[in-house]
């Protein structure tokens, strides 16, 4: 058994997020510009390469794999990859295989995901208003996503909704979204909008709705009990006593929880980002492609990348400007 991955700040890295495509069937205004240039297909890791890459990480102690994108379920034959990863669940090496999706393809894939061993899915949904949904996603259709959520629940997948808190956009839906989730026994996490990538004319500061404010408003309607639960990630949780549901807050801007970070992110081209909010990355595609039959160079490249994982990100809106911005889109690194 090889030594686990430990970074310079003594954080154990056991969580890999993998972007399997930079493409998407939506164009959410805070994530992408309307006219995106996507990577040529040959730049992408093939499904077989993704398998070898993820399996190497699992061999180095990664226990949780989250598949994301772009929209992971628009990648052709992606179920083959999920099916392949399920062998690591069967062996016990992997504790969780999961995904973050916009939900548009869930109706089609929910049962296959469950068959591959997926038990939980994060669905991104910022509004329950059809017109607003079409505006924010530009290309998305709400009923299709809601059918996807239903299909996921029916297939036995536990659903969590991730909603980006957007000023003047979903502030008025705070209670209705909470109730909708409570009625369906769905968990809900709110995310602060992060300064990632050029998104055309959209205004980052104008979009920013502080979660401290959201939480205060929630507390006007419900009794909030702080939960000690930590997932090693940036989310903090409360329970609403009236409904019993769990609400998460991901607050990269108002609080930064980098000290407990246990994750790294792989792009669809095989770049490893050690921090979502920093530019440094390691090219893992070269050792993967150059040594198809020898895992040692890839393992070495992974270890030396983890050895330079930074302490944290530098996102900051506090000076009334967007500081610490990174040029990559969230869809590139995988949210
Ligand atoms: N397409 C999938 C989806 O939407 O769930 C997976 C990829 S998407 C990049 C992952 C998450 O990142 C989504 O929940 C999305 O809302 C979030 N996201 C995208 N851009 C963001 C930004 N600038 N700030 C905060 N969250 C963002
Ligand atoms: Fe696509 Fe997800 Fe980005 Fe929306 S947030 S454009 S669904 S990748």
């Amino acid at each position: 058994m090889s030594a686990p991955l430990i970074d310079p700040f003594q954080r154990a890295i056991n969580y890999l997020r993998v972007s399997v495509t930079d493409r998407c069937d939506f164009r959410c205004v805070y994530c992408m510009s309307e006219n995106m240039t996507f990577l040529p297909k040959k730049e992408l890791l093939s499904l077989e390469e993704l398998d070898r890459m993820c399996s190497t990480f699992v061999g180095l102690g990664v226990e949780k794999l989250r598949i994301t994108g772009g929209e992971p379920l628009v990648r052709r034959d992606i179920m083959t990859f999920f099916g392949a990863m399920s062998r690591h669940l069967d062996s016990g090496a992997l504790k969780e295989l999961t995904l973050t999706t916009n939900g548009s393809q869930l109706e089609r894939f929910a049962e296959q995901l469950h068959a591959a061993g997926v038990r939980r899915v994060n669905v991104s949904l910022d509004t329950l208003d059809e017109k607003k949904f079409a505006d924010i996603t530009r290309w998305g259709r709400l009923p299709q996503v809601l059918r996807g959520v239903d299909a996921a629940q029916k297939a036995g997948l536990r659903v969590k909704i991730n909603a980006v808190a957007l000023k003047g956009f979903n502030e008025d839906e705070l209670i209705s979204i909470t109730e909708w989730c409570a009625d369906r026994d769905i968990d809900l996490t709110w995310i602060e909008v992060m300064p990632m990538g050029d998104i055309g004319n959209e205004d980052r500061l104008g979009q920013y709705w502080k979660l401290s404010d959201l939480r205060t408003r929630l507390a006007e309607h419900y009794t909030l009990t702080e939960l000690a639960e930590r997932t090693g990630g940036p989310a903090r949780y409360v329970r609403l006593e009236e409904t019993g549901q769990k609400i998460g807050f991901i607050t990269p801007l108002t609080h930064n929880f980098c000290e407990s970070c246990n994750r790294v992110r792989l792009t669809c081209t095989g770049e490893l980002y050690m921090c979502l909010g920093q530019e440094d990355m390691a090219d893992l595609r070269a050792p993967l492609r150059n040594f198809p039959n020898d895992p040692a160079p890839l393992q070495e490249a992974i270890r030396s990348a983890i050895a330079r994982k930074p302490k944290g990100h530098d996102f900051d809106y506090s000076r009334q400007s967007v500081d610490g911005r990174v040029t990559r889109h969230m869809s590139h690194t995988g949210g």
Side-chain angles (χ1 to χ4, degrees):
M1 172 72 190
S2 50
L5 298 170
I6 308 282
D7 82 354
F9 303 94
Q10 297 309 309
R11 296 171 296 195
I13 307 306
N14 55 16
Y15 180 6
L16 177 68
R17 298 170 74 107
V18 185
S19 172
V20 293
T21 176
D22 61 335
R23 290 164 197 256
C24 187
D25 51 347
F26 291 3
R27 290 288 181 279
C28 302
V29 298
Y30 49 77
C31 180
M32 294 191 181
S33 61
E34 187 146 27
N35 300 309
M36 295 286 290
T37 311
F38 292 111
L39 294 161
K41 292 232 166 71
K42 66 175 182 352
E43 295 285 318
L44 298 186
L45 299 183
S46 67
L47 293 180
E48 183 272 331
E49 288 173 327
L50 276 169
D51 182 337
R52 270 201 292 135
M53 184 75 88
C54 292
S55 301
T56 304
F57 273 94
V58 171
L60 292 172
V62 161
E63 296 182 327
K64 177 169 173 179
L65 214 49
R66 176 175 297 279
I67 311 307
T68 176
E71 174 45 44
L73 297 182
V74 301
R75 170 97 195 232
R76 188 192 295 237
D77 290 334
I78 194 63
M79 283 307 131
T80 310
F81 172 71
F82 276 97
M85 287 303 101
S86 68
R87 72 181 185 277
H88 298 305
L89 288 171
D90 296 342
S91 76
L94 196 60
K95 304 271 182 295
E96 184 167 35
L97 174 63
T98 184
L99 74 155
T100 299
T101 172
N102 65 22
S104 69
Q105 310 301 315
L106 266 182
E107 195 175 19
R108 193 147 60 106
F109 291 128
E111 281 181 12
Q112 290 176 64
L113 287 167
H114 189 272
V118 175
R119 292 294 173 265
R120 298 196 299 169
V121 54
N122 287 358
V123 180
S124 304
L125 182 61
D126 307 321
T127 174
L128 290 168
D129 179 289
E130 230 177 294
K131 161 85 175 62
K132 279 161 74 178
F133 187 86
D135 288 345
I136 198 85
T137 61
R138 293 198 185 100
W139 296 1
R141 295 293 167 262
L142 181 65
Q144 187 181 348
V145 171
L146 297 185
R147 286 198 304 276
V149 169
D150 285 345
Q153 290 196 289
K154 204 161 151 237
L157 301 174
R158 176 117 195 120
V159 176
K160 178 161 79 75
I161 297 293
N162 280 342
V164 178
L166 294 164
K167 201 171 189 61
F169 178 76
N170 50 17
E171 283 176 282
D172 59 336
E173 290 186 81
L174 176 61
I175 305 305
S176 52
I177 293 176
T178 306
E179 284 173 356
W180 184 87
C181 289
D183 289 347
R184 287 162 185 75
D185 189 26
I186 287 176
D187 293 323
L188 170 62
T189 289
W190 291 94
I191 307 175
E192 281 175 350
V193 72
M194 289 174 251
M196 301 195 64
D198 178 8
I199 50 167
N201 294 328
E202 300 294 329
D203 162 23
R204 283 284 177 213
L205 276 175
Q207 291 174 336
Y208 177 44
W209 178 20
K210 265 190 195 175
L211 289 194
S212 48
D213 175 47
L214 183 153
R215 194 181 154 137
T216 305
R217 289 207 222 164
L218 206 57
E220 288 163 8
H221 283 79
Y222 302 100
T223 315
L224 274 50
T225 303
E226 193 93 32
L227 298 177
E229 184 175 327
R230 298 278 186 276
T231 55
R236 293 298 175 269
Y237 298 95
V238 297
R239 188 175 54 240
L240 305 188
E241 291 307 330
E242 290 78 2
T243 63
Q245 85 204 101
K246 201 170 78 174
I247 307 281
F249 303 98
I250 298 186
T251 53
L253 283 310
T254 46
H255 286 284
N256 150 344
F257 294 111
C258 302
E259 73 276 0
S260 58
C261 184
N262 62 350
R263 63 200 58 196
V264 287
R265 294 172 158 87
L266 184 78
T267 70
C268 54
T269 57
E271 300 164 340
L272 189 73
Y273 281 91
M274 286 68 81
C275 174
L276 181 63
Q278 300 287 355
E279 305 285 0
D280 186 31
M281 58 88 176
D283 171 26
L284 298 184
R285 187 176 63 185
L288 179 85
R289 281 199 178 156
N290 297 343
F291 302 93
N293 300 312
D294 179 6
L298 176 60
Q299 288 168 343
E300 210 27 65
I302 293 172
R303 285 198 187 282
S304 69
I306 301 293
R308 21 179 245 267
K309 183 168 160 68
K311 198 165 179 193
H313 66 73
D314 297 316
F315 296 146
D316 186 4
Y317 296 154
S318 62
R319 287 178 284 270
Q320 297 309 306
S321 66
V322 180
D323 290 342
R325 181 198 292 273
V326 292
T327 51
R328 311 184 301 282
H329 286 97
M330 187 75 115
S331 54
H332 179 89
T333 326

